């Protein structure tokens, strides 16, 4: 009970701090980066289910994100529908893509599955580039409607931050719930001992499809938020490189850890910005740092936090035990 109260208290303090972020960072540049971190974190939450927990490589994130974004953008600009309707439609599209992409995972593994999902991203990008009348091609879609609630429009980075924060919190709480639920245990079992799953009478196919579907829905929602924030999108954004960046976020933060997903998104977005002073060499140093982290911290940066936490708790227990002994004496 004490631990739960401390945890709730910590989350309450963090939540209050997050509410005042726009007052702390008054620059539009900083707010844009923070909004991007929140949106990309949602993508990594989804990737964590399929790549982190189930162990199925998914490099289709950029393509799925594009599908979600284009669904909302086309419905809003060409049919005049509300972004909220576009969001519901994007979720439905994400569900369908998850089901379709999940089927190759039933037959393919490792490199072959990675290439299949990578091909999906490239196919989506090429279709978006060539279907000019529908997607605008390389010119993209402009004047995408922004979200609004009772006439209040989220049409600036400072306003949009609160919308992105709301989606981020809901996605994070849902991820924590799923990771600790029966679904989460089934995902881990598929990754660690798939033979045991069969012996227990569980349907491996259904578990894999569920993981892919959850990942696709989370990613499609992030795609909608992304285009609503910038109010513009084109096919050049959704490259295979973006998919690889999401994988790097997952690996750097910590596979299987929801908190690690957030840390990974922060690192991958902030580090290139901090290394801009290196000019054309900043990417080399960024990927070198990512490689070093993967070599020395294979469980992600979150493992460092957990080690520090364990050391602190161990010291506290020793201090309490020492205090108890001295009291008895």
């Amino acid at each position: 009970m004490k631990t739960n109260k401390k945890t709730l208290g910590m989350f309450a303090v963090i939540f209050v701090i997050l509410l005042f972020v726009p007052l702390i960072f008054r620059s539009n540049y900083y707010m844009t980066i923070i909004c991007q971190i929140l949106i990309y974190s949602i993508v990594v939450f989804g990737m964590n289910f399929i790549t982190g927990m189930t162990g199925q490589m998914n490099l289709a994130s950029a393509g799925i994100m594009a599908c979600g974004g284009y669904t909302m953008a086309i419905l809003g600009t060409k049919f005049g529908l509300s972004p909220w309707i576009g969001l519901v439609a994007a979720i439905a599209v994400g569900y369908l893509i998850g089901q379709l992409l999940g089927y190759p995972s039933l037959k393919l593994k490792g490199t072959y599955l990675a290439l299949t999902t990578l091909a999906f991203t490239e196919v989506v990008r090429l279709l978006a580039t060539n279907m000019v009348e529908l997607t605008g091609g390389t010119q993209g879609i402009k004047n995408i409607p922004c979200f609004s609630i009772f006439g209040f429009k989220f049409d600036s980075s400072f306003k949009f931050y609160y919308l992105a924060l709301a989606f981020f919190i809901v996605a994070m709480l849902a991820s924590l719930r799923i990771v600790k639920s029966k679904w989460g245990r089934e995902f881990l079992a598929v990754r660690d001992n798939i033979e045991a799953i069969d012996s227990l009478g569980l349907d491996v196919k259904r578990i894999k499809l569920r993981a892919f579907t959850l990942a696709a829905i989370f990613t499609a929602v992030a795609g909608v938020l992304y285009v609503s924030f910038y109010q513009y999108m084109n096919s050049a954004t959704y490259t295979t490189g973006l998919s690889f960046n999401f994988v790097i976020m997952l690996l750097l933060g910590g596979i299987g850890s929801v908190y690690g997903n957030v840390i990974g998104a922060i690192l991958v977005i902030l580090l290139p910005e901090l290394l801009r002073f290196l000019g054309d060499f900043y990417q080399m140093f960024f990927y070198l740092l990512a490689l070093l982290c993967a070599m020395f911290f294979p469980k992600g940066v979150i493992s460092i936090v957990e080690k520090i936490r364990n050391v602190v708790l161990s010291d506290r227990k020793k201090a309490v035990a020492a205090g108890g002994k001295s009291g008895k004496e």
Side-chain angles (χ1 to χ4, degrees), residues 9 14-15 18 46 56 58 118 171 182 197 201 207 277 303 329:
I14 294 173
F15 179 71
L18 289 174
Q56 307 295 305
N58 177 23
L118 191 65
K182 178 184 176 182
I197 289 285
I207 295 171
F277 68 93
S303 63
E329 292 175 356

Side-chain angles (χ1 to χ4, degrees), residues 149-225:
I149 299 178
F150 302 116
F152 180 84
K153 293 185 176 181
F154 298 92
D155 54 0
S156 70
S157 59
F158 294 92
K159 295 177 183 178
F160 188 86
Y161 165 77
Y162 290 106
L163 180 68
L165 179 63
F167 276 92
F168 168 81
I169 291 174
V170 171
M172 186 173 186
L173 292 176
S175 297
L176 289 169
R177 178 68 176 173
I178 292 171
V179 166
K180 295 179 181 179
S181 69
K182 178 184 176 182
W183 285 6
R185 292 190 293 272
E186 289 176 348
F187 293 161
L188 291 174
V190 169
R191 184 190 70 185
D192 298 334
N193 195 344
I194 195 168
E195 289 78 13
I197 289 285
D198 291 327
S199 66
L200 292 173
L202 296 174
D203 191 343
V204 177
K205 295 180 180 178
R206 182 178 297 178
I207 295 171
K208 287 184 177 182
L209 286 175
R210 184 185 298 140
F212 258 105
T213 303
L214 284 172
I217 290 174
F218 273 62
T219 306
V221 170
V224 170
L225 292 174

Side-chain angles (χ1 to χ4, degrees), residues 248 251-253 267-268 270-278 281-298 300-301 304:
I248 293 172
L251 295 176
L252 281 183
L267 289 174
V268 173
L270 282 186
L271 279 177
E273 298 298 326
L274 297 175
L275 295 174
R276 290 290 181 188
F277 68 93
L278 295 173
F281 296 98
Y282 88 92
Q283 284 191 338
M284 181 182 71
F285 281 93
F286 167 68
Y287 288 113
L288 178 61
L289 287 173
L291 177 62
L292 292 174
C293 285
M295 291 174 59
F296 294 102
F297 307 107
V301 177
I304 303 173

Side-chain angles (χ1 to χ4, degrees), residues 45-184:
F45 289 154
M47 280 200 65
N48 190 44
F49 297 133
I50 185 63
T51 302
M53 301 183 70
T54 314
Q56 307 295 305
M57 180 54 70
N58 177 23
L59 295 174
S61 298
I64 299 171
M65 197 174 177
C67 290
Y70 274 115
T71 299
M72 182 270 210
I74 292 170
L75 291 177
T77 57
K78 296 187 180 297
F79 298 95
L81 296 179
S82 166
W84 295 104
I85 296 176
L87 174 64
V88 175
I91 291 173
V93 169
Y95 175 83
L96 292 175
I97 292 173
Q99 291 289 308
L100 291 173
L101 273 181
Y103 277 102
S105 72
L106 306 179
K107 299 293 183 180
L108 303 175
K109 295 180 180 180
T111 305
Y112 299 103
L113 180 59
L115 290 174
T116 301
T117 54
L118 191 65
F120 173 82
T121 292
E122 191 62 16
V123 167
V124 170
R125 187 187 66 80
L126 291 173
L127 287 174
T129 300
N130 292 285
M131 297 174 68
V132 179
E133 292 184 2
L134 186 64
T135 64
T138 55
Q139 298 299 316
I141 302 176
K142 303 175 182 178
N143 301 318
I144 298 172
C146 60
F147 281 94
S148 63
I149 299 178
F150 302 116
F152 180 84
K153 293 185 176 181
F154 298 92
D155 54 0
S156 70
S157 59
F158 294 92
K159 295 177 183 178
F160 188 86
Y161 165 77
Y162 290 106
L163 180 68
L165 179 63
F167 276 92
F168 168 81
I169 291 174
V170 171
M172 186 173 186
L173 292 176
S175 297
L176 289 169
R177 178 68 176 173
I178 292 171
V179 166
K180 295 179 181 179
S181 69
K182 178 184 176 182
W183 285 6

